[in-house]
Amino acid sequence: MKAQAVKVPEVKAVAVNKPWTGETEYLHGLSAVFLLLGPACNMTCRHCSQTPIKNTFCQQPDSELPEKVILFLKKWLSVKNGFFSRIYFWGGEPLLYWETIKRYILMFESRGIFPRQYRIFSNGLLLTKEIADFCNRHRVLFTMSYDAPNPVAVRNAVPSKENIEALLECKKRSVNFVFNALNDDPVRAFAMLEELFPETIVDMGLINVLSDIPKDIYTFREGQIERAIDALADDIIAGNDPYGNRYNFFVEKFISDDLFRREHFTTSPFPPCAPGVISLSFKFDGSIVRCHNDSRVISSIDDSCEEMLEKHRMVWEDLIPRKCFSCPVVSICRNRCPIGLFTEDGTEYVHCEVLRRIYGSVLRNRKKLTECEIPEYRDLRAEARKGEG
Protein backbone atom coordinates (compact mmCIF):
# COMPACT_ATOMS: atom_id res chain seq x y z
CA MET A 1 0.00 0.00 0.00
CA LYS A 2 1.36 3.39 -0.92
CA ALA A 3 1.62 5.64 2.11
CA GLN A 4 -0.70 8.59 1.92
CA ALA A 5 0.57 12.15 1.91
CA VAL A 6 0.13 14.04 5.14
CA LYS A 7 -3.34 15.54 5.36
CA VAL A 8 -3.84 18.63 7.47
CA PRO A 9 -7.13 18.32 9.39
CA GLU A 10 -9.75 21.01 9.75
CA VAL A 11 -8.87 23.22 12.70
CA LYS A 12 -11.52 23.46 15.40
CA ALA A 13 -9.55 25.61 17.84
CA VAL A 14 -9.82 29.38 18.04
CA ALA A 15 -6.87 30.89 16.20
CA VAL A 16 -5.71 33.70 18.45
CA ASN A 17 -4.55 35.90 15.60
CA LYS A 18 -8.15 36.15 14.32
CA PRO A 19 -10.80 38.55 15.64
CA TRP A 20 -12.66 37.45 18.76
CA THR A 21 -16.08 36.09 17.81
CA GLY A 22 -17.49 35.12 21.19
CA GLU A 23 -17.81 32.60 23.97
CA THR A 24 -19.47 29.87 21.91
CA GLU A 25 -16.58 29.68 19.46
CA TYR A 26 -14.10 29.60 22.32
CA LEU A 27 -15.92 26.80 24.13
CA HIS A 28 -16.25 24.84 20.91
CA GLY A 29 -12.49 25.19 20.33
CA LEU A 30 -11.65 23.73 23.73
CA SER A 31 -11.08 20.01 23.33
CA ALA A 32 -9.65 19.22 26.77
CA VAL A 33 -10.00 20.23 30.41
CA PHE A 34 -7.38 19.19 32.96
CA LEU A 35 -8.44 18.80 36.59
CA LEU A 36 -5.25 19.09 38.64
CA LEU A 37 -5.43 16.65 41.52
CA GLY A 38 -2.11 17.43 43.18
CA PRO A 39 1.67 17.23 42.72
CA ALA A 40 2.38 13.99 44.62
CA CYS A 41 4.21 11.19 42.79
CA ASN A 42 5.51 7.78 43.78
CA MET A 43 8.39 7.85 41.28
CA THR A 44 11.44 9.98 40.51
CA CYS A 45 11.84 9.91 36.74
CA ARG A 46 14.93 11.87 35.71
CA HIS A 47 13.29 13.27 32.57
CA CYS A 48 10.02 14.40 34.18
CA SER A 49 8.80 17.81 33.02
CA GLN A 50 6.84 18.24 36.26
CA THR A 51 9.93 18.18 38.46
CA PRO A 52 9.59 21.81 39.63
CA ILE A 53 6.11 21.24 41.08
CA LYS A 54 6.23 17.57 42.09
CA ASN A 55 6.54 16.29 45.63
CA THR A 56 6.17 12.99 47.50
CA PHE A 57 3.41 14.09 49.89
CA CYS A 58 -0.06 12.96 48.85
CA GLN A 59 -3.11 14.75 50.13
CA GLN A 60 -6.48 14.51 48.42
CA PRO A 61 -7.63 17.92 47.13
CA ASP A 62 -8.36 20.03 50.20
CA SER A 63 -11.29 21.76 48.53
CA GLU A 64 -14.29 20.60 46.53
CA LEU A 65 -14.49 21.52 42.88
CA PRO A 66 -16.51 24.77 42.92
CA GLU A 67 -20.04 24.67 41.55
CA LYS A 68 -19.06 27.28 38.95
CA VAL A 69 -16.44 24.88 37.51
CA ILE A 70 -19.09 22.16 37.29
CA LEU A 71 -21.44 24.58 35.51
CA PHE A 72 -18.61 25.60 33.17
CA LEU A 73 -18.08 21.93 32.26
CA LYS A 74 -21.80 21.48 31.56
CA LYS A 75 -21.86 24.56 29.33
CA TRP A 76 -18.67 23.49 27.52
CA LEU A 77 -20.00 20.01 26.78
CA SER A 78 -23.35 21.36 25.58
CA VAL A 79 -21.54 23.68 23.15
CA LYS A 80 -19.24 20.87 21.97
CA ASN A 81 -22.45 19.02 21.00
CA GLY A 82 -20.88 15.67 20.19
CA PHE A 83 -17.43 16.84 19.13
CA PHE A 84 -14.45 15.13 20.74
CA SER A 85 -13.99 16.33 24.32
CA ARG A 86 -11.76 15.02 27.07
CA ILE A 87 -11.48 15.53 30.81
CA TYR A 88 -8.04 14.66 32.16
CA PHE A 89 -7.41 13.73 35.78
CA TRP A 90 -3.85 14.91 36.21
CA GLY A 91 -1.12 14.59 38.85
CA GLY A 92 1.66 14.06 39.91
CA GLU A 93 0.66 10.45 39.78
CA PRO A 94 -3.13 10.39 39.32
CA LEU A 95 -3.66 6.96 40.87
CA LEU A 96 -2.49 8.34 44.23
CA TYR A 97 -5.77 10.28 44.00
CA TRP A 98 -7.89 7.39 42.77
CA GLU A 99 -10.69 7.78 45.32
CA THR A 100 -11.10 11.42 44.28
CA ILE A 101 -11.17 10.44 40.59
CA LYS A 102 -13.86 7.82 41.16
CA ARG A 103 -15.96 10.18 43.26
CA TYR A 104 -15.90 12.93 40.64
CA ILE A 105 -16.63 10.70 37.67
CA LEU A 106 -19.70 9.35 39.47
CA MET A 107 -20.72 12.86 40.52
CA PHE A 108 -20.31 14.21 36.98
CA GLU A 109 -22.55 11.45 35.64
CA SER A 110 -25.18 12.23 38.26
CA ARG A 111 -25.07 15.89 37.11
CA GLY A 112 -25.40 15.04 33.41
CA ILE A 113 -21.75 15.71 32.56
CA PHE A 114 -20.66 13.20 29.93
CA PRO A 115 -17.42 14.05 28.08
CA ARG A 116 -16.58 11.91 25.11
CA GLN A 117 -13.75 10.50 27.17
CA TYR A 118 -11.87 10.71 30.46
CA ARG A 119 -8.10 10.27 30.37
CA ILE A 120 -5.51 9.26 32.95
CA PHE A 121 -1.77 9.41 32.27
CA SER A 122 0.04 7.27 34.82
CA ASN A 123 3.27 5.45 35.61
CA GLY A 124 1.04 2.43 36.21
CA LEU A 125 2.62 1.22 39.46
CA LEU A 126 -0.73 1.35 41.26
CA LEU A 127 -2.91 0.05 38.42
CA THR A 128 -5.10 -2.94 39.29
CA LYS A 129 -7.73 -4.94 37.46
CA GLU A 130 -10.36 -3.31 39.69
CA ILE A 131 -9.27 0.10 38.46
CA ALA A 132 -9.27 -1.17 34.87
CA ASP A 133 -12.83 -2.42 35.31
CA PHE A 134 -13.97 1.01 36.53
CA CYS A 135 -12.21 2.65 33.57
CA ASN A 136 -14.03 0.33 31.16
CA ARG A 137 -17.41 1.19 32.65
CA HIS A 138 -16.85 4.96 32.52
CA ARG A 139 -15.12 5.72 29.16
CA VAL A 140 -11.63 6.21 30.60
CA LEU A 141 -8.60 5.94 28.33
CA PHE A 142 -5.65 4.84 30.46
CA THR A 143 -2.13 5.73 29.29
CA MET A 144 0.83 4.04 30.95
CA SER A 145 4.27 5.63 30.79
CA TYR A 146 6.90 2.96 30.17
CA ASP A 147 10.27 4.07 28.86
CA ALA A 148 12.10 1.62 26.65
CA PRO A 149 14.26 -0.16 25.75
CA ASN A 150 16.19 0.72 28.94
CA PRO A 151 13.63 2.05 31.43
CA VAL A 152 15.92 2.07 34.46
CA ALA A 153 18.16 4.60 32.72
CA VAL A 154 15.70 7.35 33.63
CA ARG A 155 13.20 5.73 36.03
CA ASN A 156 13.53 4.30 39.52
CA ALA A 157 10.84 1.63 38.97
CA VAL A 158 8.91 -0.14 36.23
CA PRO A 159 5.36 -1.53 36.22
CA SER A 160 5.02 -5.09 37.50
CA LYS A 161 3.60 -8.07 35.63
CA GLU A 162 0.34 -7.49 37.52
CA ASN A 163 0.29 -3.82 36.46
CA ILE A 164 0.81 -4.81 32.81
CA GLU A 165 -1.96 -7.42 33.01
CA ALA A 166 -4.26 -4.77 34.45
CA LEU A 167 -3.52 -2.38 31.59
CA LEU A 168 -4.34 -5.10 29.08
CA GLU A 169 -7.76 -5.34 30.76
CA CYS A 170 -8.44 -1.69 29.81
CA LYS A 171 -10.49 -1.48 26.62
CA LYS A 172 -9.12 1.99 25.87
CA ARG A 173 -5.41 2.03 26.56
CA SER A 174 -2.08 3.28 25.27
CA VAL A 175 1.59 3.24 26.24
CA ASN A 176 3.96 6.19 25.96
CA PHE A 177 7.74 6.19 25.93
CA VAL A 178 10.20 9.07 25.60
CA PHE A 179 13.09 9.26 23.14
CA ASN A 180 16.21 10.58 24.84
CA ALA A 181 19.98 10.10 24.81
CA LEU A 182 19.78 7.16 27.21
CA ASN A 183 16.87 5.48 25.42
CA ASP A 184 17.89 6.19 21.85
CA ASP A 185 16.76 3.03 20.03
CA PRO A 186 13.11 3.48 19.00
CA VAL A 187 13.20 0.35 16.83
CA ARG A 188 13.92 -1.81 19.88
CA ALA A 189 11.56 0.25 22.04
CA PHE A 190 8.53 -0.21 19.77
CA ALA A 191 9.26 -3.93 19.35
CA MET A 192 9.65 -4.42 23.12
CA LEU A 193 6.48 -2.53 24.03
CA GLU A 194 4.35 -4.11 21.32
CA GLU A 195 5.37 -7.50 22.68
CA LEU A 196 4.68 -6.49 26.29
CA PHE A 197 1.41 -4.74 25.37
CA PRO A 198 -0.13 -6.52 22.35
CA GLU A 199 -2.89 -4.73 20.42
CA THR A 200 -2.13 -1.51 22.25
CA ILE A 201 -1.43 1.98 20.93
CA VAL A 202 2.24 2.86 21.52
CA ASP A 203 3.42 6.45 21.19
CA MET A 204 6.94 7.89 21.17
CA GLY A 205 7.31 11.28 22.77
CA LEU A 206 10.18 13.78 22.71
CA ILE A 207 11.73 15.12 25.85
CA ASN A 208 10.87 18.63 26.99
CA VAL A 209 14.31 19.97 27.88
CA LEU A 210 13.84 22.02 31.03
CA SER A 211 16.57 23.70 33.06
CA ASP A 212 16.50 21.13 35.87
CA ILE A 213 16.67 17.96 33.75
CA PRO A 214 20.05 16.18 33.93
CA LYS A 215 22.14 17.04 30.90
CA ASP A 216 23.05 13.44 30.05
CA ILE A 217 19.37 12.82 29.22
CA TYR A 218 19.56 15.13 26.19
CA THR A 219 23.27 15.14 25.29
CA PHE A 220 23.22 13.00 22.14
CA ARG A 221 26.39 11.71 20.51
CA GLU A 222 27.32 12.69 16.97
CA GLY A 223 24.89 11.03 14.56
CA GLN A 224 22.96 9.34 17.37
CA ILE A 225 19.65 11.07 16.60
CA GLU A 226 19.90 10.74 12.84
CA ARG A 227 20.70 7.03 12.98
CA ALA A 228 17.77 6.40 15.34
CA ILE A 229 15.18 8.25 13.25
CA ASP A 230 16.48 6.77 9.99
CA ALA A 231 16.32 3.26 11.46
CA LEU A 232 12.73 3.83 12.56
CA ALA A 233 11.70 4.90 9.06
CA ASP A 234 13.50 1.91 7.54
CA ASP A 235 11.64 -0.33 10.01
CA ILE A 236 8.33 0.93 8.62
CA ILE A 237 9.39 0.39 5.01
CA ALA A 238 10.49 -3.13 5.92
CA GLY A 239 6.97 -3.89 7.11
CA ASN A 240 7.64 -3.94 10.85
CA ASP A 241 4.73 -1.71 11.87
CA PRO A 242 1.73 -3.98 12.57
CA TYR A 243 -0.35 -1.32 14.32
CA GLY A 244 0.82 1.87 12.58
CA ASN A 245 2.49 3.14 15.76
CA ARG A 246 5.78 4.01 14.06
CA TYR A 247 4.13 5.64 11.05
CA ASN A 248 2.05 7.76 13.40
CA PHE A 249 5.22 9.29 14.84
CA PHE A 250 6.20 10.70 11.46
CA VAL A 251 2.76 11.65 10.15
CA GLU A 252 0.16 12.45 12.80
CA LYS A 253 2.41 13.70 15.58
CA PHE A 254 3.72 16.72 13.70
CA ILE A 255 0.73 17.81 11.67
CA SER A 256 0.55 21.60 11.65
CA ASP A 257 -2.54 23.76 11.61
CA ASP A 258 -3.38 27.44 11.61
CA LEU A 259 -2.06 27.86 15.15
CA PHE A 260 1.40 26.66 14.22
CA ARG A 261 2.16 27.88 10.70
CA ARG A 262 5.36 29.86 10.27
CA GLU A 263 3.51 32.95 9.03
CA HIS A 264 1.47 33.04 12.25
CA PHE A 265 4.38 32.42 14.58
CA THR A 266 4.87 36.09 15.46
CA THR A 267 1.18 36.68 16.21
CA SER A 268 0.25 33.34 17.75
CA PRO A 269 2.78 32.83 20.53
CA PHE A 270 1.27 29.63 21.95
CA PRO A 271 3.42 26.49 22.22
CA PRO A 272 2.36 23.43 20.18
CA CYS A 273 0.02 22.12 22.89
CA ALA A 274 -1.79 25.52 22.84
CA PRO A 275 -2.79 25.78 26.52
CA GLY A 276 -5.56 28.30 26.97
CA VAL A 277 -6.72 27.76 23.39
CA ILE A 278 -7.51 24.07 23.08
CA SER A 279 -7.19 23.17 26.78
CA LEU A 280 -7.75 24.67 30.22
CA SER A 281 -6.11 23.45 33.42
CA PHE A 282 -8.14 23.92 36.61
CA LYS A 283 -6.96 23.67 40.18
CA PHE A 284 -9.61 22.48 42.61
CA ASP A 285 -10.17 26.00 43.94
CA GLY A 286 -11.28 27.19 40.49
CA SER A 287 -8.05 28.95 39.56
CA ILE A 288 -6.50 28.29 36.15
CA VAL A 289 -2.80 27.66 35.61
CA ARG A 290 -0.97 28.37 32.39
CA CYS A 291 -0.56 24.65 31.60
CA HIS A 292 -1.06 21.25 33.21
CA ASN A 293 2.66 20.83 33.97
CA ASP A 294 2.99 24.18 35.67
CA SER A 295 1.84 25.84 38.89
CA ARG A 296 1.60 29.50 37.87
CA VAL A 297 -1.98 30.77 38.24
CA ILE A 298 -2.92 33.21 35.49
CA SER A 299 -6.71 33.20 35.41
CA SER A 300 -9.84 32.14 37.25
CA ILE A 301 -13.17 30.49 36.57
CA ASP A 302 -14.66 33.90 37.45
CA ASP A 303 -13.15 35.38 34.28
CA SER A 304 -15.03 35.43 31.00
CA CYS A 305 -13.88 33.15 28.19
CA GLU A 306 -12.39 36.16 26.42
CA GLU A 307 -10.43 37.10 29.54
CA MET A 308 -9.14 33.53 29.94
CA LEU A 309 -7.90 33.50 26.35
CA GLU A 310 -6.33 36.95 26.59
CA LYS A 311 -4.51 36.18 29.86
CA HIS A 312 -3.03 33.01 28.36
CA ARG A 313 -2.05 34.90 25.21
CA MET A 314 -0.23 37.57 27.22
CA VAL A 315 1.74 34.96 29.18
CA TRP A 316 2.92 33.14 26.06
CA GLU A 317 3.61 36.35 24.17
CA ASP A 318 5.98 37.34 26.97
CA LEU A 319 7.84 34.06 26.42
CA ILE A 320 7.79 34.05 22.62
CA PRO A 321 11.23 32.87 21.41
CA ARG A 322 11.92 35.50 18.77
CA LYS A 323 15.25 33.98 17.78
CA CYS A 324 13.26 31.03 16.40
CA PHE A 325 11.54 32.99 13.62
CA SER A 326 14.12 32.00 11.01
CA CYS A 327 14.71 28.41 12.17
CA PRO A 328 14.26 25.85 9.35
CA VAL A 329 12.22 23.45 11.52
CA VAL A 330 10.01 25.96 13.35
CA SER A 331 6.94 24.76 11.39
CA ILE A 332 6.86 21.49 13.36
CA CYS A 333 8.90 22.49 16.41
CA ARG A 334 7.38 25.76 17.65
CA ASN A 335 10.10 25.53 20.30
CA ARG A 336 8.28 22.83 22.21
CA CYS A 337 7.86 24.29 25.72
CA PRO A 338 8.85 27.95 26.22
CA ILE A 339 8.42 27.59 29.99
CA GLY A 340 11.60 25.54 30.01
CA LEU A 341 13.77 27.86 27.91
CA PHE A 342 17.13 28.80 29.29
CA THR A 343 20.52 29.64 27.86
CA GLU A 344 24.00 28.60 28.86
CA ASP A 345 25.90 31.31 27.00
CA GLY A 346 23.21 33.85 26.16
CA THR A 347 23.12 33.02 22.46
CA GLU A 348 20.94 29.96 21.95
CA TYR A 349 18.52 27.85 23.94
CA VAL A 350 20.23 24.80 25.34
CA HIS A 351 18.07 22.30 23.46
CA CYS A 352 18.02 23.98 20.02
CA GLU A 353 20.69 21.76 18.50
CA VAL A 354 18.89 18.64 19.72
CA LEU A 355 15.54 19.79 18.33
CA ARG A 356 16.96 20.81 14.95
CA ARG A 357 18.52 17.37 14.60
CA ILE A 358 15.35 15.54 15.66
CA TYR A 359 12.93 17.58 13.56
CA GLY A 360 15.26 17.74 10.57
CA SER A 361 15.44 13.95 10.63
CA VAL A 362 11.67 13.68 10.97
CA LEU A 363 11.07 15.95 7.96
CA ARG A 364 13.61 14.14 5.80
CA ASN A 365 12.21 10.71 6.62
CA ARG A 366 8.57 11.80 6.38
CA LYS A 367 9.18 12.76 2.76
CA LYS A 368 10.81 9.39 2.14
CA LEU A 369 7.88 7.52 3.72
CA THR A 370 5.24 9.29 1.64
CA GLU A 371 7.12 8.42 -1.56
CA CYS A 372 7.76 4.73 -0.81
CA GLU A 373 5.63 1.62 -1.03
CA ILE A 374 5.06 0.31 2.48
CA PRO A 375 3.24 -2.86 3.51
CA GLU A 376 -0.34 -2.51 4.67
CA TYR A 377 -0.80 -2.69 8.42
CA ARG A 378 -3.88 -3.01 10.57
CA ASP A 379 -4.85 0.48 11.68
CA LEU A 380 -5.26 -0.37 15.34
CA ARG A 381 -4.97 3.30 16.27
CA ALA A 382 -8.19 4.18 14.46
CA GLU A 383 -9.89 1.07 15.83
CA ALA A 384 -8.85 1.88 19.37
CA ARG A 385 -10.38 5.35 19.15
CA LYS A 386 -13.68 4.32 17.58
CA GLY A 387 -16.77 4.71 19.69
CA GLU A 388 -15.07 6.86 22.31
CA GLY A 389 -18.44 8.26 23.31
Side-chain angles (χ1 to χ4, degrees):
M1 179 181 75
K2 190 174 180 65
Q4 298 297 309
V6 177
K7 294 182 179 180
V8 179
E10 180 184 357
V11 179
K12 297 295 184 183
V14 179
V16 296
N17 55 316
K18 295 179 181 178
W20 172 256
T21 58
E23 181 179 70
T24 298
E25 181 180 352
Y26 179 76
L27 290 173
H28 185 270
L30 288 174
S31 61
V33 167
F34 289 79
L35 298 182
L36 306 182
L37 300 160
C41 188
N42 55 346
M43 287 189 65
T44 54
C45 300
R46 299 179 71 234
H47 60 335
C48 179
S49 60
Q50 287 187 294
T51 301
I53 62 172
K54 221 166 53 170
N55 64 41
T56 58
F57 175 69
C58 180
Q59 176 183 350
Q60 301 302 309
D62 55 10
S63 64
E64 293 294 310
L65 200 62
E67 178 69 15
K68 50 195 171 185
V69 174
I70 297 171
L71 294 176
F72 176 90
L73 294 176
K74 291 193 71 169
K75 180 191 292 186
W76 165 53
L77 293 171
S78 67
V79 169
K80 291 293 288 184
N81 191 28
F83 286 99
F84 188 64
S85 57
R86 297 154 287 170
I87 292 180
Y88 286 78
F89 289 99
W90 198 258
E93 168 48 47
L95 292 191
L96 289 171
Y97 303 90
W98 178 243
E99 292 304 317
T100 296
I101 292 173
K102 284 199 303 183
R103 181 163 58 90
Y104 271 93
I105 288 178
L106 294 173
M107 183 273 285
F108 287 157
E109 291 181 352
S110 71
R111 297 287 302 272
I113 296 175
F114 293 97
R116 296 282 286 180
Q117 190 180 84
Y118 294 103
R119 289 193 176 185
I120 295 174
F121 195 101
S122 166
N123 58 46
L125 299 186
L126 300 175
L127 181 60
T128 64
K129 290 186 178 181
E130 290 73 22
I131 292 175
D133 179 63
F134 184 92
C135 290
N136 290 337
R137 288 185 282 113
H138 297 277
R139 306 179 320 285
V140 179
L141 185 148
F142 196 99
T143 297
M144 180 185 286
S145 176
Y146 194 124
D147 289 293
N150 181 21
V152 296
V154 293
R155 300 159 64 93
N156 63 309
V158 295
S160 67
K161 177 183 177 182
E162 291 73 22
N163 300 142
I164 292 172
E165 289 174 349
L167 182 69
L168 294 176
E169 293 286 323
C170 294
K171 295 178 181 177
K172 302 295 182 184
R173 62 181 185 267
S174 66
V175 175
N176 182 272
F177 72 98
V178 177
F179 175 74
N180 58 64
L182 302 183
N183 272 313
D184 69 330
D185 190 342
V187 172
R188 282 182 56 209
F190 274 112
M192 170 184 169
L193 294 175
E194 287 171 347
E195 182 177 358
L196 272 176
F197 305 93
E199 298 190 351
T200 301
I201 291 175
V202 178
D203 285 310
M204 182 171 88
L206 302 177
I207 188 170
N208 279 322
V209 184
L210 308 182
S211 58
D212 49 7
I213 288 178
K215 192 170 183 178
D216 63 331
I217 301 292
Y218 60 88
T219 303
F220 290 87
R221 300 182 301 275
E222 183 67 30
Q224 187 179 9
I225 291 172
E226 293 78 6
R227 286 191 296 270
I229 303 300
D230 288 352
L232 189 60
D234 291 341
D235 208 36
I236 297 170
I237 294 171
N240 300 322
D241 195 16
Y243 308 127
N245 290 322
R246 297 157 183 77
Y247 191 66
N248 168 76
F249 172 76
F250 290 99
V251 179
E252 296 177 23
K253 190 175 183 65
F254 302 109
I255 287 175
S256 297
D257 59 33
D258 283 343
L259 290 173
F260 312 134
R261 293 182 189 276
R262 178 187 293 272
E263 58 268 27
H264 293 159
F265 188 45
T266 59
T267 55
S268 177
F270 290 78
C273 49
V277 178
I278 61 176
S279 68
L280 281 180
S281 299
F282 284 95
K283 297 178 71 173
F284 263 64
D285 62 1
S287 57
I288 299 171
V289 297
R290 61 182 173 181
C291 90
H292 56 276
N293 284 325
D294 190 39
S295 58
R296 176 176 169 182
V297 174
I298 61 169
S299 187
S300 166
I301 188 62
D302 294 317
D303 292 332
S304 68
C305 291
E306 184 173 13
E307 289 173 319
M308 291 178 193
L309 179 63
E310 177 64 14
K311 289 178 178 179
H312 278 87
R313 189 194 66 79
M314 290 176 64
V315 166
W316 298 117
E317 186 174 67
D318 188 52
L319 292 173
I320 189 168
R322 301 184 185 281
K323 63 180 68 177
C324 301
F325 292 168
S326 59
C327 179
V329 297
V330 71
S331 61
I332 63 172
C333 172
R334 282 303 312 270
N335 210 315
R336 301 284 288 164
C337 182
I339 292 176
L341 297 178
F342 76 105
T343 61
E344 291 187 326
D345 57 8
T347 58
E348 185 173 71
Y349 301 123
V350 67
H351 55 316
C352 283
E353 180 187 358
V354 170
L355 293 180
R356 275 197 299 270
R357 289 171 62 189
I358 291 175
Y359 292 123
S361 297
V362 167
L363 287 172
R364 174 168 45 81
N365 280 285
R366 187 163 64 176
K367 185 175 187 296
K368 178 173 69 174
L369 287 169
T370 58
E371 293 176 348
C372 290
E373 295 286 340
I374 63 172
E376 185 173 1
Y377 52 75
R378 175 185 172 196
D379 191 0
L380 181 75
R381 305 182 65 86
E383 184 68 23
R385 291 196 165 106
K386 272 171 54 176
E388 285 173 323

